[in-house]
Amino acid sequence: MYNDTVTWLLNTRNAAVQYRAKTELLGLAAEPTEALMWIEKKLPADWYKIKGLWYVYYINALAECGLNQSMLPSEWFEAAVEKIRTSFDFGCEAFMLLQAMVVAKIPKSRKYLICYVPTGCLTVGFSVKDEETS
């Protein structure tokens, strides 16, 4: 069953799924360029300048494609870092943004996560186990 599933994931026409299957399920080194090109085609040209929830959705889309900060222009994440740093309100949008930042290994996102865990307000299911993002 596992081999069939992995084969199916590798044979999909979704470059992001292929990239994550190779890197996360099989532990292979893979080039992220195709995954980035796949998701960039779906985003507006100036998506990182958009305010509000759509920006959060776009940041999450990049992270869910397996892409991280080292593969992407830093200007794409400036608004995310600023929002988490200055106006974290413990709402869904803030936690979605924080999750994307951790997954995408944005510098200092782990520091922000650790700051919010003791409050008891963090209940979303994601892990920062061995990733050093501070």
Side-chain angles (χ1 to χ4, degrees), residues 14-54:
N14 182 321
V17 170
Q18 292 171 347
Y19 176 72
R20 289 192 74 181
K22 288 175 188 173
T23 59
E24 296 173 27
L25 295 178
L26 300 175
L28 301 173
E31 176 60 43
T33 305
E34 286 186 40
L36 178 56
M37 289 172 35
W38 179 84
I39 193 65
E40 277 186 315
K41 288 179 188 174
K42 298 178 179 323
L43 301 176
D46 61 349
W47 69 267
Y48 57 93
K49 296 176 183 175
I50 294 171
K51 304 275 187 223
L53 201 51
W54 277 107

Side-chain angles (χ1 to χ4, degrees), residues 114-132:
I114 290 168
C115 288
Y116 298 124
V117 169
T119 67
C121 293
L122 187 63
T123 58
V124 292
F126 59 90
S127 168
V128 293
K129 51 183 178 197
D130 296 321
E131 287 106 25
E132 183 56 47

